[in-house]
Amino acid sequence: MQEVLLLKCGEIVLKGLNRYKFEERLLRIIRERMKKIGQFDVWSMQSTVYVEPMGEQDMDAAFDAAKKIFGINAVARGAACEKDIEAIKRTAAEYVGDRLDNVRTFKVEAKRSDKRFPLTSPQIGVEVGGYLSDLHPHLKADMSDPQVTITVEVRDKSAYITLDKVRGAGGMPVGSNGRAMLLLSGGIDSPVAGYMMAKRGLEIAAVHFYSYPYTSKEARDKVLELANILTDYTGKITVLLVPFTEIQLAIARNCVEDYFTILMRRFMMRIAQRAAEMQHCGAMITGESLGQVASQTMEALGCTQAVCYMPVFRPAIGLDKEEIISIARKIGTFETSNLPFEDCCTVFTPRHPQTKPRLDKVEEQEKRLDVDALIERAVEGIEKVTLG
């Protein structure tokens, strides 16, 4: 019995004449992810991607990896057999028999994509359902709320019996909509923002600002671990680590305390743009949520946006904290984000930060600093780490 994965394509099926470009990218991503697990044959037909193991492979790992690939709406694990009703019945009994021993209700759904097959979809369902009922007399058919649903698909190449269909990651294949630079802190919000924009087809690079000795090696390692978790969804991520201590000390020595945070954010956006150019990115991503902290009021966001010539995507802007935490738990970043290591955003925090800063006042404060020189030295000190 040959076990396979059937991956149902999502949004890309709605594309027009350039649909093949999205499909080619998706297939390339699936092959790259599966290569880390073992040898698989990956091919597509009729909006379904088939992942067939070449010999004995870890199908549990392949199934888990497939669930995290953007562009796939559903993932099913099943068995392939020849297109013959007797072979289909025998394979169904062998593949799902253990599961049926421990349930009381079931349903068989049949889909006949190959119209040359002599039985219709309802007839296939009746044949397979009756055969399984004879083998498991305790079972009762339940078409509305079964404990187990068995799907039989008769397709061009083979017939497939599947169980355990689960929702896929959805969205668009990573890289199909370009590349963007994520401002990655050690907090909860920014990894979620990176995940959300990768889901919309963006390939992700990341930039992180650290303030040694005010921030620790553990804080740096925490951010790299967050990026590493994201690679399960995004593929490889290059993280640019930016030394930020000199800039923060310059702000603390020369500027009014109330403006520290907004001035720091403006430096970050300028440097992130430079980092984005270095990594061939066309946009930036932040985890900002409107009104969550002083630097994320409408006025403060306007002051940081003023230094940007690239688009800035803020996918969490309308989410509350509980919604962001829910996504963080789902993607596996929450526990790491909660580790008690400070990042540079918590260093030199003003006692009374400006929540409604005026741009002219902010620019007046910046005149006290050699902005260009500070940025150049920070960029020169960038360290690059590639994960995934």
Side-chain angles (χ1 to χ4, degrees):
M1 182 175 59
Q2 173 73 60
E3 192 171 27
V4 299
L5 299 182
L6 275 65
L7 317 182
K8 306 295 184 179
C9 297
E11 199 172 329
I12 63 176
V13 302
L14 304 176
K15 299 298 178 184
L17 296 177
N18 64 345
R19 171 176 163 178
Y20 73 95
K21 296 181 180 178
F22 293 89
E23 291 176 336
E24 287 175 354
R25 179 173 288 275
L26 179 59
L27 286 173
R28 186 164 66 249
I29 291 168
I30 295 170
R31 290 183 182 119
E32 288 173 356
R33 302 286 179 89
M34 293 301 149
K35 191 182 295 184
K36 296 179 180 179
I37 299 166
Q39 291 185 313
F40 294 85
D41 186 19
V42 178
W43 53 281
S44 67
M45 185 179 293
Q46 297 175 313
S47 302
T48 299
V49 178
Y50 300 83
V51 180
E52 298 184 354
M54 309 294 286
E56 290 293 324
Q57 304 296 336
D58 188 343
M59 294 301 289
D60 291 336
F63 186 65
D64 289 340
K67 291 187 292 184
K68 297 177 180 178
I69 297 174
F70 293 126
I72 298 298
N73 265 19
V75 180
R77 188 169 174 173
C81 67
E82 61 182 291
K83 293 188 293 183
D84 171 81
I85 190 60
E86 295 303 319
I88 291 171
K89 290 192 291 187
R90 289 194 303 271
T91 303
E94 182 181 355
Y95 190 64
V96 306
D98 291 345
R99 287 286 298 275
L100 297 180
D101 288 339
N102 301 311
V103 299
R104 299 186 65 182
T105 60
F106 81 115
K107 176 173 74 171
V108 176
E109 288 184 347
K111 301 175 183 178
R112 185 186 63 158
S113 300
D114 181 0
K115 302 306 180 185
R116 297 168 298 178
F117 192 75
L119 300 181
T120 65
S121 296
Q123 288 171 333
I124 296 169
V126 169
E127 286 281 338
V128 175
Y131 186 77
L132 294 174
S133 292
D134 290 342
L135 293 175
H136 303 272
H138 69 285
L139 285 178
K140 178 182 178 182
D142 185 341
M143 298 297 108
S144 58
D145 188 25
Q147 290 175 279
V148 170
T149 297
I150 301 153
T151 302
V152 179
E153 298 186 53
V154 180
R155 292 180 166 268
D156 286 351
K157 185 178 177 181
S158 302
Y160 300 91
I161 295 87
T162 61
L163 272 175
D164 300 325
K165 183 167 75 172
V166 299
R167 290 189 64 177
M172 303 280 284
V174 169
S176 61
N177 282 322
R179 183 172 168 85
M181 178 60 69
L182 170 66
L183 280 77
L184 183 62
S185 72
I188 297 170
D189 305 340
S190 57
V192 168
Y195 164 87
M196 292 174 73
M197 294 313 303
K199 186 174 182 177
R200 296 310 309 152
L202 285 178
E203 187 177 353
I204 303 296
V207 59
H208 174 69
F209 299 88
Y210 67 92
S211 297
Y212 182 82
Y214 300 99
T215 57
S216 64
K217 180 182 181 295
E218 287 81 6
R220 174 186 182 274
D221 292 344
K222 169 184 171 179
V223 168
L224 292 178
E225 177 58 21
L226 287 171
N228 195 49
I229 293 169
L230 287 178
T231 62
D232 285 347
Y233 300 92
T234 65
K236 287 184 179 179
I237 294 180
T238 296
V239 183
L240 302 185
L241 301 165
V242 182
F244 205 59
T245 310
E246 182 186 5
I247 290 173
Q248 289 185 289
L249 289 173
I251 293 170
R253 289 166 182 161
N254 296 284
C255 302
V256 174
E257 182 183 348
D258 293 3
Y259 289 91
F260 284 2
T261 302
I262 197 68
L263 291 169
M264 179 183 70
R265 294 293 297 175
R266 281 164 64 89
F267 270 99
M268 286 181 171
M269 298 304 274
R270 289 183 176 108
I271 295 169
Q273 283 180 132
R274 292 282 296 276
E277 290 173 344
M278 292 163 61
Q279 288 294 305
H280 310 291
C281 297
M284 296 187 293
I285 304 167
T286 76
E288 291 160 320
S289 173
L290 186 63
Q292 188 179 122
V293 294
S295 63
Q296 295 174 20
T297 64
M298 185 166 61
E299 293 83 359
L301 291 172
C303 287
T304 55
Q305 183 75 47
V307 302
C308 301
Y309 50 82
M310 281 187 178
V312 180
F313 299 133
R314 298 178 172 94
I317 196 71
L319 301 182
D320 64 32
K321 199 66 179 181
E322 286 304 313
E323 291 170 314
I324 295 170
I325 288 173
S326 176
I327 297 172
R329 290 187 187 278
K330 182 180 79 169
I331 66 177
T333 57
F334 180 74
E335 296 299 329
T336 302
S337 291
N338 256 355
L339 293 174
F341 304 119
E342 292 186 330
D343 61 31
C344 71
C345 293
T346 59
V347 178
F348 306 114
T349 302
R351 288 165 293 181
H352 304 290
Q354 284 282 341
T355 58
K356 295 186 177 181
R358 282 174 41 187
L359 182 58
D360 59 334
K361 297 293 186 181
V362 174
E363 291 173 337
E364 200 174 282
Q365 291 291 313
E366 278 185 343
K367 290 177 181 177
R368 305 179 182 186
L369 304 167
D370 190 343
V371 173
D372 292 340
L374 287 167
I375 289 173
E376 286 302 322
R377 286 195 290 274
V379 171
E380 287 170 5
I382 285 177
E383 176 189 353
K384 187 188 300 184
V385 179
T386 299
L387 303 166

